[in-house]
Amino acid sequence: MIQANTLRSFTEQIFGAIGCSEADARLAADVLVSADLRGVDSHGVARLPGYVRLYDNGRLNPTPAIKIVHETPSTAVVDGDRGLGLVVGPWAMQVAIDKARVAGTGWVAVRNSNHFGIAGYHALLATDHDMIGQAMTHAAPLVAPTFSLDKLLGTNPIAVAIPAATEPPFLADFASTAVAYGKLEILQRKGQPAPLGWAQDADGQPTTDSNAVKNGGALLPLGSDREHGSHKGYGLGAIVDIFSGVLSGANYGPWVPPFATAGFMSANEGVGVGTGHFFGAMRIDAFRPAAEFKNHMDTWIQRFRSAKAVAGKQVLVPGDPERLMEAERLQAGIPVHETVVQQLEHLGERFGLKL
Amino acid sequence: MIQANTLRSFTEQIFGAIGCSEADARLAADVLVSADLRGVDSHGVARLPGYVRLYDNGRLNPTPAIKIVHETPSTAVVDGDRGLGLVVGPWAMQVAIDKARVAGTGWVAVRNSNHFGIAGYHALLATDHDMIGQAMTHAAPLVAPTFSLDKLLGTNPIAVAIPAATEPPFLADFASTAVAYGKLEILQRKGQPAPLGWAQDADGQPTTDSNAVKNGGALLPLGSDREHGSHKGYGLGAIVDIFSGVLSGANYGPWVPPFATAGFMSANEGVGVGTGHFFGAMRIDAFRPAAEFKNHMDTWIQRFRSAKAVAGKQVLVPGDPERLMEAERLQAGIPVHETVVQQLEHLGERFGLKL
């Protein structure tokens, strides 16, 4: 177990060591460690060596001049100047929030960025301002559209955060695939098979091989197969890709650059600039009085949480599991995987820093 | 086979007969028949008797005074005055388009409406203006959230329409469930079982009973079960419900009123006004020059459509199947189910009209 503060401080120092400003390093560390706190271990400090590798590869600018390149009252396009997505994301979200304050809503497409951590972190920033927050990003191609052998989409997550009154915010934050790639990686490490419906093999057939994606196969969209609606998960992933990539001027589809750790993907770039994201903020009182809305959200949340459940189970509201995990890990610390600890220590040695 | 024009004219006359204006009747008929043309038979003229039943029940106002009740530069809340959703929908979408012209984007939450037909019809209206269109609606509760025995959500569809240059628009239009309820109804009529993953029984267990939803069971969210991401489909359906219902001041969750044909659902109303929808329009050139964007959309579409496919299959772009069907049915006519023809003829007799 490692305390969140320890991880945060170490991560901040590493980002400082590659040249990030103090404020940027602190923010980036907060985004990463918030993933660990919420139990999304695949998107937390486990990725820190990857971000450093991005820097080593010359793809990451530690002191980006992030700027708005085009705007209207309710929209903007932001160029991330090859900065950390962990820093570009909150910057762009702030633009969306500022726009929403004046125009009712704000929508920001980002290009020339890198992996931005968990989408939910960014979406949640809006709820402090009595706004609904949205964040989405595309990612390197691991997913085959329905009937495709080619991998053309990333896991392309969407997050929507909605404030309530006495209840904590509703926070849906999910990949548009049946599972996140991290879940297959866990099974790979254990040498275990995957459930049918998570991946297909090189011939596009259902498989339980947890290494299938590495061996010419692909992750499957949410819905898994045509009969269970995989074309819907494909549609959802496609929307995320087009909003993040085509609308912003970033790359898109199979041309989205890999996150540094994914060695088996090609790094073709050719249809746009870097990786893209899309953010939105909607002021609640641009629709109805915020207090009234938030009271109804309490009713909504309480009705769903108190639903009659399958024996031995409980009906959860989106955001519940991550919030419960965060409360637990703030107390007990974060169970960082042994391999990850070794990688972090190794990284620390390089920069003369101790975990 | 019945020609689209014949169906459209008959439907228009029925709407006229219950008191709709000529323009409203024409529009409503166009929305309904467009569903039949695109192969979404469950949302076309098969629902006409249901709309008339809504009128008979006093829930439908044939001459609504639809109005904006609140607005900001990029948002509006519209009260549908118990009008046909088929008419309220395009009215609200026009408000979104007008807002987008000035503010870059327009977002319209609608309350006090009724069933609006296929979401894709409304979303597509934006593409003629070089805008991205979005349309979503909640519906009467048929769907159990993950681990729930209670039905708390509708099939809650989302449509996103995105213009291209030489290619027809990208149009994703899908329910947030594994399947539309209409697919179960088809199996019920044939006395056939359903695939596992479409519905659960009264104890929340997987079932192949195509009558399960009528017998205390429920439709399943996209993803089908927890292991395959049903919590994501549940999250998506929840977002649609909150945007359509809580943001607009309509009912929400289990309180959404039934569409007239669904006799096995309760008609509780109590947390808001009628049924709600949510619409969006984003001007492409609020982000980047429209011609540039649309050329990239051509590249996107062509890359996906030309993907290497599973033997005997073809990779489609969202919107392809419905457009191919429309081309075919414009030529060959629409194969209206015998039972539906009888119902329409029966309706015609009541008003002295011939199909």
Side-chain angles (χ1 to χ4, degrees):
Chain A
M1 291 292 177
I2 306 182
Q3 288 301 315
N5 283 339
T6 308
L7 276 183
R8 207 181 276 116
S9 157
F10 177 78
T11 304
E12 188 179 330
Q13 291 178 71
I14 295 284
F15 281 130
I18 63 170
C20 295
S21 73
E22 211 176 298
D24 283 1
R26 192 176 315 124
L27 175 58
D30 191 55
V31 181
L32 274 194
V33 176
S34 83
D36 291 300
L37 279 171
R38 292 176 203 180
V40 193
D41 300 352
S42 57
H43 283 58
V45 294
R47 294 227 177 202
L48 186 54
Y51 287 104
V52 174
R53 214 169 318 140
L54 262 182
Y55 169 74
D56 291 337
N57 295 338
R59 279 179 52 203
L60 175 64
N61 177 0
T63 56
I66 309 169
K67 62 174 186 288
I68 294 177
V69 292
H70 184 66
E71 63 185 317
T72 73
S74 74
T75 69
V77 173
V78 162
D79 188 304
D81 197 21
R82 293 185 299 119
L84 281 167
L86 307 168
V87 169
V88 176
W91 198 98
M93 193 68 204
Q94 188 58 49
V95 174
I97 290 168
D98 292 343
K99 295 264 174 199
R101 222 169 254 136
V102 180
T105 66
W107 305 89
V108 178
V110 176
R111 68 183 183 219
N112 205 10
S113 182
N114 284 294
H115 194 277
F116 78 3
I118 49 171
Y121 184 96
H122 309 296
L124 263 184
L125 294 173
T127 59
D128 294 337
H129 306 275
D130 277 357
M131 295 181 186
I132 294 175
Q134 298 187 36
M136 56 182 84
T137 187
H138 58 193
L142 288 175
V143 181
T146 305
F147 301 138
S148 174
L149 296 178
D150 294 342
K151 293 188 274 279
L152 297 178
L153 291 170
T155 51
N156 296 10
I158 297 179
V160 178
I162 306 176
T166 61
E167 295 289 342
F170 170 106
L171 174 59
D173 179 4
F174 55 87
S176 52
T177 49
V179 284
Y181 187 64
K183 296 227 176 148
L184 278 177
E185 288 179 315
I186 292 169
L187 295 174
Q188 286 165 20
R189 277 196 291 269
K190 296 184 182 168
Q192 290 176 356
L196 277 177
W198 287 16
Q200 68 183 24
D201 68 16
D203 299 320
Q205 299 305 309
T207 182
T208 58
D209 178 6
S210 54
N211 289 293
V213 182
K214 288 188 193 175
N215 299 327
L219 271 182
L220 293 171
L222 178 59
S224 297
D225 57 32
R226 180 65 181 74
E227 189 170 69
H228 294 88
S230 66
H231 55 298
K232 302 175 184 189
Y234 159 34
L236 199 60
I239 292 163
V240 172
D241 186 45
I242 292 167
F243 283 20
S244 301
V246 188
L247 210 46
S248 69
N251 290 287
Y252 48 79
W255 295 283
V256 178
F259 181 70
T261 50
F264 54 89
M265 290 174 290
S266 85
N268 281 340
E269 296 195 46
V271 294
V273 188
T275 296
H277 323 299
F278 190 78
F279 302 93
M282 303 198 290
R283 219 174 66 215
I284 298 293
D285 67 6
F287 293 93
R288 69 189 294 191
E292 197 178 290
F293 174 89
K294 292 196 290 184
N295 284 334
H296 278 288
M297 278 307 298
D298 279 359
T299 305
W300 194 101
I301 288 169
Q302 288 157 9
R303 178 65 188 88
F304 277 66
R305 205 180 278 138
S306 65
K308 221 185 311 168
V310 173
K313 296 290 186 182
Q314 197 191 340
V315 178
L316 299 171
V317 165
D320 282 350
E322 295 80 8
R323 200 180 43 258
L324 295 171
M325 180 66 87
E326 184 168 14
E328 187 185 313
R329 291 189 168 183
L330 274 173
Q331 289 292 323
I334 296 163
V336 184
H337 193 280
E338 196 183 338
T339 319
V340 174
V341 172
Q342 285 167 7
Q343 287 171 349
L344 294 181
E345 284 172 347
H346 188 71
L347 207 56
E349 281 164 26
R350 169 172 165 191
F351 295 106
L353 297 168
K354 263 204 138 60
L355 179 58
Chain B
M1 293 290 178
I2 306 182
Q3 288 301 315
N5 283 338
T6 308
L7 276 182
R8 207 181 277 116
S9 157
F10 176 78
T11 304
E12 187 178 330
Q13 291 178 73
I14 294 284
F15 282 129
I18 63 169
C20 296
S21 73
E22 209 176 301
D24 282 2
R26 193 178 312 124
L27 175 58
D30 192 54
V31 181
L32 274 194
V33 176
S34 82
D36 291 300
L37 279 171
R38 292 176 203 178
V40 193
D41 300 352
S42 56
H43 283 56
V45 294
R47 296 227 176 201
L48 186 55
Y51 287 103
V52 173
R53 215 171 315 142
L54 262 182
Y55 169 74
D56 291 337
N57 295 339
R59 280 180 50 204
L60 176 64
N61 177 2
T63 56
I66 309 169
K67 61 174 187 289
I68 295 176
V69 291
H70 183 67
E71 63 186 317
T72 72
S74 75
T75 69
V77 173
V78 163
D79 188 305
D81 196 22
R82 294 185 297 119
L84 280 167
L86 308 167
V87 169
V88 177
W91 198 98
M93 193 69 204
Q94 188 58 50
V95 175
I97 290 167
D98 292 343
K99 296 264 175 199
R101 224 170 252 136
V102 180
T105 66
W107 305 89
V108 179
V110 176
R111 68 182 182 219
N112 206 8
S113 182
N114 283 294
H115 194 277
F116 78 4
I118 47 171
Y121 184 95
H122 309 295
L124 262 184
L125 294 173
T127 59
D128 293 339
H129 305 276
D130 278 357
M131 295 181 187
I132 293 174
Q134 298 187 37
M136 57 182 84
T137 187
H138 59 192
L142 289 174
V143 181
T146 305
F147 300 138
S148 174
L149 296 178
D150 294 343
K151 293 189 273 279
L152 298 178
L153 291 170
T155 51
N156 296 9
I158 297 179
V160 178
I162 306 175
T166 60
E167 295 289 342
F170 170 106
L171 174 59
D173 180 3
F174 55 88
S176 53
T177 49
V179 283
Y181 188 64
K183 296 228 175 147
L184 277 176
E185 288 179 314
I186 292 170
L187 295 174
Q188 286 165 21
R189 276 196 291 268
K190 296 184 181 169
Q192 290 176 355
L196 276 178
W198 287 17
Q200 69 183 24
D201 66 17
D203 299 320
Q205 300 305 309
T207 182
T208 58
D209 178 7
S210 54
N211 289 293
V213 182
K214 288 187 194 176
N215 299 328
L219 271 182
L220 293 171
L222 179 58
S224 297
D225 58 30
R226 180 63 181 75
E227 188 170 72
H228 295 87
S230 67
H231 55 299
K232 302 176 185 189
Y234 159 35
L236 198 62
I239 292 163
V240 172
D241 186 45
I242 293 167
F243 283 20
S244 301
V246 188
L247 210 46
S248 69
N251 289 287
Y252 48 81
W255 296 284
V256 177
F259 181 70
T261 50
F264 54 88
M265 289 174 290
S266 85
N268 283 340
E269 296 195 47
V271 294
V273 189
T275 296
H277 323 298
F278 190 78
F279 301 95
M282 304 197 291
R283 219 174 65 215
I284 298 293
D285 66 7
F287 294 93
R288 68 189 294 193
E292 197 178 290
F293 173 89
K294 293 195 288 183
N295 284 333
H296 278 287
M297 278 307 298
D298 279 359
T299 304
W300 194 100
I301 289 168
Q302 288 157 9
R303 177 64 188 87
F304 277 66
R305 204 180 278 137
S306 64
K308 221 184 311 167
V310 172
K313 297 290 185 180
Q314 195 190 342
V315 178
L316 299 171
V317 165
D320 281 351
E322 295 81 7
R323 201 179 41 259
L324 295 171
M325 181 66 86
E326 184 168 16
E328 187 185 312
R329 290 189 168 183
L330 274 173
Q331 288 294 323
I334 296 164
V336 185
H337 192 279
E338 198 183 334
T339 318
V340 174
V341 173
Q342 284 167 8
Q343 287 171 348
L344 295 181
E345 285 172 348
H346 188 72
L347 206 58
E349 280 164 27
R350 170 173 165 190
F351 296 106
L353 296 168
K354 262 203 139 62
L355 179 59

